[in-house]
Amino acid sequence: MDIRECRVDHMTEPVGYLLTAPTFSWITETIHAEKSRICIYKGSSLFYDSGFCGLNPLGTRLKLDLEPRTQYMWFVEAADENGRTIRSARNYFETGMMDSAWQAKWITCGQKESRLPVFFRNFIPEREVASARLYICGLGLYEARINGRRVGDESLTPGFVVYSSHEQAQTYDVTDFISEKNQIEVLLGSGWYLGRFSFGTGIRNVYGKNYRLIAELHLRFEDGSEQVIGTDDSWQVKRSRILSSEIYDGEIVDDTLPALPIEQAFPVTEEMPRLHDRLGAPVKLHEHFKCDVLHTPAGELVLDTHQNMAGIFQLRVHEERGKRIRLQFGEVLQDGNFYRDNLRTARAEYVYISDGNERVLEPHFTYYGYRYVKIEGITDFHPDDFEALAIYSDMPMRGELKTGNEKVNRLISNVIWGMKSNFVDIPTDCPQRDERMGWTGDAQAFSETACFLADPWAFYKKYLYDIRMEQRQRGGAVPDVVPACGLERSSAVWGDSICIIPWNLYVYYGDLSILEDYYESMKAWVEYVRGVDGDDHGWRRVHQYGDWLALDAPVKGDLKGGTDVGFIADVYYRKSALITAKSAALLGKTEDEKKYYSLADNILKGIQDEYYSLTGRCCIPTQTAAVLTLSEGLNDAGRAKKALSEYLENAGRSLTTGFVGTPLICETLSENGMAEMACRLLLRESYPGWLYAVNLGATTIWERWNSLEEDGRISSTGMNSLNHYTYGSVVSWIWKGIAGISPDPEHPGFQRVVLKPFINRKLGRLEAAYPSPSGTYRISWEISDDTRVQYSVEIPAGCTAELTDINGNVCELSTGVHRFSWKAEKRLTRRMSIEDLLGDLILEDELAAILYEEVKDLDYLLSYTREYPLRETLTNLSYEAEHMKRIDGRIREVLLV
Ligand code: BGC
């Protein structure tokens, strides 16, 4: 296809989404488009025609007078300078209720009975139905059925929003559900809205006190007229056999329960918040996993899915009446036994009482963060009866990257699973314990990585919308968690998400609409911080998380790390002011541009006065402070580079960073001529490092560097998730720093890229494909001998790149495939020997292993002979010449990078 990926608000053929001034985007493949044209049809009549003009394929925003509940067809044409034209396939989009008035009423039910309610109504179409749509929102969560058949393929609808300020409705095409006599049924569960949810034990009803339902079924006949069946007090309620279904605690179903008398639904009397068409990426079921059966030392029956994930399951059961079956979910085994203490108070289970019939069990309004399942109560369990089902927001997956190092490949897969497990309608911190909340700090830290791995535009757009809703209730403050669920604090790095996420989306997609939409929110945040800061740096003194979970805290166990929290707060305040200034410039808001640049300058002055010596030395001696000095250009780069490398050496060439420093450290090292050190951090196999977890069998990213100790024991239970994605943010650097492809913010959306691969022997080779919004880039490099590298890159139509080769030479590339055979000026590998200092030898993992085998009392020697050549020390200790030769030989054999 010459023109492909035609999208509306970055979604393929969306139905019922909130489309206020939608953007249209596409990729033109075969010609160089001078001009393009968008045509939109309503039925057979032309609704909009841009004519041939200079449209931006990355995002052309149209102000259209769209009508509610209407399908539009559209296509794009592109013309080259010779007038040759090509045309896309036809695509459609369909509006939801928009601002039209609902005929249906919000209804509810009595609260005496706790079994989950099913609201229902029978109906007969007046005539033959040509098409049918269901517009619906049920709170906390709903599942709709027509004539027993489940409507849609989404889970956890209507999703998690700031319910106190707005609700969102889904639209479903139910044309082929309708027959002569029909019943519509809607099962409601408590979900985030009224179930047990939020930070702290026992908190329920954060947003609502009772179930709520609104639904409108539009049956359209051939002549265009409609019959509308809406919720009102004619609807009735029957009770399900689900006793409870809760996000944290799981589900309890008792099929032996008798049917209860039918109740009457009644209207909701209080005013409900605004109801609008939905946003986001629908949560769906994805991968299915078969499991291995384990019989643990404690005598338990445990299933291993081999992948930690957010998910539910299907289980076929056939037990005698009254038999109780229980499933419990956990992330890790301890001593080979089932374990779940790190889930804190989340019961995370599924309990079923059988009525004697064969059933396939599947939970409704909960999900679990798990790899292992403990099963009780099944007489003769067969592994084929169980399937694990991964659940996450439906986004197109994007970048694929493989290196010659299987452990790094596993790490990337773990990061992808960290993302999938924590993209469950909102970006959560973790999917398993009694938290699963939209922590803004984690979300911003991961947002660039998400743009490489998937297409998260629609997903983040919903989240940003909710951040804005929270800000409106708090004078611009962004709460640490969104939806806030009663948590009222706002902190640096976390709240800065409202500037960082839209900016990253702009850079990765080149669609200015995200800045147009969120500019006022960015400004509101910066102004909020300015207010708290006042004339005396108040922002430094309010609650801050600092470099959360960093390893360099002066007081053991302090979660905020060793970097001054006021410094971090100021640096992020400036970062947000700069993003706001840059956005103002792009949006033509000259006054604001000046204002926020000057604010950024003032903040910088305050930072320099307080945290740097007159000669430019940062007074905070931590890796994260040095990283921020360099990445944010806060002061003399030379001194900061020296300091950073010194701190890394002092820490045994390992990182001590937390949620602030870790997402930035490798990229900062790469950009400051220390890419080798960045690779060393990536490839470090021992604690603390990314491959440490891989070596311990991790299948996702952990919350802490030592979530598990070396012997596989869990390090603590208070706050220890094995599925937290923040440290997975290293993947954006693997793309930018090793595959070497970065978007150029001056030419956003990958119209132009910076190519700067880093060739590393331990990775050996790399192959990557990135389907960017401007077309697909393909990169590969491979080391063919000690100094030679084969490199190739494919640049998509209409794009350009600046390539820096292995020796630092720069060249321009345009569309097409380019192949190079580079000869490195320096050898790509190095070797050491017995003549090197013990302190240097011990820093190389492989050499350390040899030395521990060969040299007696090495730990003791390390305490006082680090600065001496190893030969000298061994000679002083009267080692035999033969033995020293062997040690030297073994050291020389190891190829180092
Ligand atoms: C969450 C984090 C979050 C942090 C903030 C934790 O409980 O799991 O990921 O960012 O709190 O302090």
Side-chain angles (χ1 to χ4, degrees), residues 38-90:
I38 297 177
C39 290
I40 306 176
Y41 283 77
K42 186 182 149 211
S44 55
S45 44
L46 184 63
F47 173 76
Y48 172 86
D49 184 353
S50 67
F52 274 103
C53 55
L55 300 177
N56 180 6
L58 293 171
T60 289
R61 180 163 238 180
L62 298 179
K63 288 220 159 42
L64 302 168
D65 221 350
L66 297 174
E67 286 167 36
R69 302 188 305 278
T70 305
Q71 195 167 87
Y72 296 86
M73 189 282 289
W74 69 290
F75 60 82
V76 186
E77 281 184 300
D80 67 10
E81 72 271 21
N82 303 319
R84 197 186 136 221
T85 61
I86 52 174
R87 180 187 274 203
S88 74
R90 289 156 171 255

Side-chain angles (χ1 to χ4, degrees), residues 14 62 66 91 255 266 280 307 418 472 496 541 576 592 627 634 764 831:
L62 298 179
L66 297 174
N91 305 276
D255 267 348
F266 51 88
Q307 177 60 59
R472 285 195 181 154
D496 294 291
R541 292 191 300 275
S576 283
D592 275 9
V627 164
L634 303 176
R831 291 173 204 265

Side-chain angles (χ1 to χ4, degrees), residues 779-820:
I779 294 170
S780 76
W781 59 252
E782 177 152 20
I783 299 178
S784 40
D785 67 39
D786 220 18
T787 53
R788 209 157 261 291
V789 173
Q790 310 303 326
Y791 175 82
S792 88
V793 61
E794 181 179 339
I795 316 256
C799 299
T800 58
E802 181 193 276
L803 169 68
T804 304
D805 77 7
I806 194 168
N807 297 316
N809 306 311
V810 178
C811 68
E812 274 295 308
L813 300 178
S814 56
T815 307
V817 179
H818 308 269
R819 292 201 173 81
F820 301 88

